[in-house]
Amino acid sequence: MIDENERKRERAQAAAAGVRAGVSSKLGSIWWLIAGIGQIFTARRMPADDPDRGAVTTIGIAAAIVGLVLVFWPSSGIVVISWVIGIAGILIGALLIYLGSRFKRLKARVGMLT
């Protein structure tokens, strides 16, 4: 039989777990937002004729949108948050693969010049 002190301790542990989940959710959303803004500023500092500027901007916008969604709708549920993070991860991964192939071609072109 569980006494009253045991029940209080279990309730306190459950509340602490909820607080930890909320704090980590906020930190994650702020991280996504800051990372997206950083990518956008990085793209703005790139030369205007750089062909990869658009891809870097798109990565930044996608990350910033994910950050905003997570900041303004933290109670949207773990499933929705997982879908948003997953889709953003796939988009960002695809864009990074594209940028990597562009850099590989650039390296080959620079190698031919030297």
Side-chain angles (χ1 to χ4, degrees):
M1 189 161 147
I2 299 176
D3 63 346
E4 187 62 32
N5 288 334
E6 183 71 24
R7 287 183 184 169
K8 286 181 183 179
R9 187 167 25 121
E10 287 177 0
R11 278 187 252 143
Q13 288 175 345
V19 169
R20 283 192 300 267
V23 169
S24 65
S25 172
K26 285 292 184 192
L27 288 175
S29 62
I30 291 169
W31 179 84
W32 274 96
L33 187 60
I34 291 172
I37 292 170
Q39 288 288 332
I40 292 169
F41 281 126
T42 299
R44 289 190 66 194
R45 294 193 66 184
M46 295 172 77
D49 59 343
D50 190 350
D52 298 329
R53 184 176 182 184
V56 174
T57 303
T58 305
I59 291 171
I61 290 171
I65 288 172
V66 169
L68 287 173
V69 167
L70 295 176
V71 165
F72 290 114
W73 292 295
S75 62
S76 60
I78 193 71
V79 173
V80 174
I81 291 172
S82 298
W83 274 102
V84 169
I85 290 172
I87 290 169
I90 290 170
L91 288 173
I92 290 170
L95 287 169
L96 288 174
I97 289 171
Y98 168 74
L99 285 175
S101 69
R102 297 276 307 187
F103 283 128
K104 188 174 182 179
R105 281 187 257 146
L106 178 66
K107 182 181 174 185
R109 282 195 302 185
V110 169
M112 290 183 346
L113 294 176
T114 57

